[in-house]
Amino acid sequence: MRFLTAGDSHGEYLVGIIEGFPAGHRISIADIRRDLQRRRQSYGRSARQKIETDSVQIVSGLWKGKTTGAPLAILIQNLGRTVSGKPGGALGTVPRPGHADLPGALKYGLREVPPVSERASARSTALRVAIGSVAKSLLEDFSIDMLGHVTSIGGIDAQKGSRSIKTLRRKVARSPVYCGDKQAADRMIEVIREAKKSGDSLGGAIEVIATGVVPGLGTHVEWDRKLDGRLAGAMMSIQSVKAVEIGEGLECSRKKGFESHDAMYLDGGHVRRDTNHAGGIEGSMTNGEDIVVTLYAKPIPTSLKRLPSFNMKTLKPTKSPFVRSDVCVLPPLAVIAEAVMAWELLVAMTEKFGCDSVDEMTANYRSYVKQLRKRGMR
Ligand code: EPS
């Protein structure tokens, strides 16, 4: 199973094609819309989000509302087609430090910034959310649930609270910055407001949790099939993400081995653990515990505080251009990372249980779960 995307930030459409999705799954456009709306509506976004509605269509690969095994083609129309009245924005020939502008122009022999920035733009994450939403809906049939939430913005950290997805989801839904800690969220809103006033942008961290995942997805046997490597690579590919942590990777790097690993014991014939430092992944495979991944994002590089740069045409020094921009993308990042997690887990599920049809997948899944139960799992 794989997907490809096309589309520019201010072009007509974002286009996605999913190939190899199992046949027989009913797709709900309403669910995809809900996720797109979560991505669009949060505190700290640019005025662009008032322009977009992210209306989504699936234009092929369905028969009577269900997948057929044929490629699924997804379209999202862009309504914001210009910035400052110019297609592709007012960027011209001055690259923004921290953006794809300079390396992209050099690599492709381009003389202007927009042909690079239009494609590098995080606008394309709308499509990744739509694709992830389709993946998430199939994972639900296998009792897998997931949630992304904000844990830090601009140096304000949320207190570690309940990791129960149900509890967190309720709290996050009430928070304009998708953070489960109300006190921290109020401070985050304040720092975003201050950053906006001073023309700056903010980074932070989000955590994604997936629950209900069977042990044995991914593998230890070859480097490019390792699930932690794939998850980290996919998460790193999201715009602005600069570090990815699985479980308590950072904290464990400072601890001793005895404190870092998750002891197992038997309770009435069932394997149990009281801790999850590993974040649900051991030996590059799922181990049956919740999967926990943290993403760290830099502040986005477009801001009113213009950084020193140069004009590619005249080779004269100047300041980086300002175009309409987000102040903080951490809340939408929580939704995007959730979608990315869904995609990677679904790929791993289809590798283990087959991807021609949902019926085949379900039969293989059930037989595996039966074996797991005999061995004290779940
Ligand atoms: C982005 C710049 C902004 C963001 C955009 C990503 O767009 P504009 O230049 O039109 O104001 O709003 O993100 C989205 C449109 C979106 O839907 O996420 C960039 O340069 O990456």
Side-chain angles (χ1 to χ4, degrees):
M1 211 175 59
R2 59 184 176 156
F3 73 84
L4 268 179
T5 71
D8 300 315
S9 187
H10 304 90
E12 276 194 53
Y13 286 96
L14 301 173
V15 185
I17 296 185
I18 304 178
E19 207 242 334
F21 195 90
H25 181 63
R26 185 167 296 285
I27 302 274
S28 155
I29 290 282
D31 286 353
I32 305 175
R33 277 199 198 118
R34 205 169 305 125
D35 279 335
L36 286 170
Q37 188 159 331
R38 286 169 64 220
R39 192 198 74 97
R40 206 173 65 243
Q41 291 177 349
S42 56
Y43 194 75
R45 295 289 260 153
S46 93
R48 172 84 184 264
Q49 301 311 321
K50 294 197 181 89
I51 301 170
E52 298 299 341
T53 57
D54 289 351
S55 72
V56 63
Q57 301 172 59
I58 298 189
V59 296
S60 77
L62 294 179
W63 180 256
K64 296 181 179 169
K66 284 189 174 180
T67 54
T68 62
L72 282 165
I74 305 178
L75 290 183
I76 298 175
Q77 194 171 15
N78 284 324
L79 300 179
R81 303 288 307 284
T82 65
V83 185
S84 315
K86 295 185 192 171
L91 291 170
T93 52
V94 181
R96 290 160 294 172
H99 223 283
D101 303 350
L102 179 64
L106 296 175
K107 176 176 171 67
Y108 290 101
L110 299 163
R111 305 280 155 197
E112 294 169 287
V113 168
V116 180
S117 60
E118 277 293 296
R119 183 63 188 150
S121 166
R123 172 79 190 134
S124 65
T125 58
L127 208 46
R128 278 183 97 172
V129 167
I131 290 169
S133 187
V134 171
K136 216 162 45 164
S137 73
L138 180 50
L139 290 175
E140 266 170 34
D141 293 356
F142 296 92
S143 310
I144 296 177
D145 190 13
M146 64 202 64
L147 181 77
H149 64 114
V150 168
T151 55
S152 176
I153 286 180
I156 311 293
D157 296 329
Q159 294 275 342
K160 273 196 180 154
S162 160
R163 280 236 177 85
S164 142
I165 289 191
K166 262 194 188 158
T167 313
L168 258 175
R169 184 171 280 132
R170 240 184 297 118
K171 291 182 177 173
V172 167
R174 286 197 295 260
S175 164
V177 285
Y178 301 168
C179 173
D181 173 352
K182 167 91 172 67
Q183 258 183 331
D186 289 346
R187 280 285 297 131
M188 289 172 185
I189 292 170
E190 250 171 67
V191 293
I192 294 173
R193 198 178 297 136
E194 282 159 20
K196 188 173 183 185
K197 237 193 258 165
S198 66
D200 224 330
S201 57
L202 294 174
I206 66 117
E207 181 182 78
V208 199
I209 308 167
T211 184
V213 187
V214 286
L217 301 185
T219 175
H220 60 291
V221 303
E222 199 55 90
W223 68 272
D224 58 349
R225 294 168 59 206
K226 292 180 179 229
L227 189 64
D228 43 7
R230 285 190 186 184
L231 267 176
M235 296 294 184
M236 268 305 233
S237 78
I238 306 170
Q239 286 87 341
S240 295
V241 173
K242 289 288 120 190
V244 179
E245 178 187 14
I246 297 194
E248 293 164 13
L250 292 185
E251 218 175 300
C252 288
S253 70
R254 293 188 210 104
K255 282 186 184 167
K256 304 224 165 63
F258 192 80
E259 308 160 305
S260 304
H261 301 293
D262 305 302
M264 304 173 212
Y265 60 94
L266 288 167
D267 172 17
H270 296 287
V271 181
R272 302 256 184 248
R273 306 190 198 221
D274 289 335
T275 58
N276 185 17
H277 304 301
I281 298 187
E282 286 173 314
S284 302
M285 287 164 284
T286 55
N287 65 4
E289 302 296 315
D290 286 355
I291 299 180
V292 184
V293 180
T294 303
L295 278 65
Y296 300 87
K298 67 180 180 183
I300 58 161
T302 314
S303 73
L304 263 172
K305 279 199 174 155
R306 300 159 64 181
L307 280 159
S309 181
F310 74 103
N311 191 318
M312 294 192 291
K313 197 167 163 192
T314 60
L315 288 184
K316 296 243 163 73
T318 182
K319 292 265 176 86
S320 64
F322 175 71
V323 280
R324 173 183 65 202
S325 135
D326 302 284
V327 177
C328 177
V329 293
L330 269 295
L333 183 61
V335 182
I336 299 158
E338 186 184 299
V340 168
M341 169 90 92
W343 177 264
E344 292 305 321
L345 288 184
L346 185 61
V347 170
M349 285 282 287
T350 57
E351 283 169 356
K352 178 125 185 75
F353 302 116
C355 66
D356 285 340
S357 73
V358 176
D359 284 351
E360 180 187 37
M361 236 181 128
T362 307
N364 292 335
Y365 172 85
R366 285 195 181 138
S367 133
Y368 182 62
V369 168
K370 215 163 145 189
Q371 293 307 312
L372 291 178
R373 289 213 177 102
K374 282 191 198 151
R375 302 183 69 182
M377 297 300 294
R378 286 163 77 87

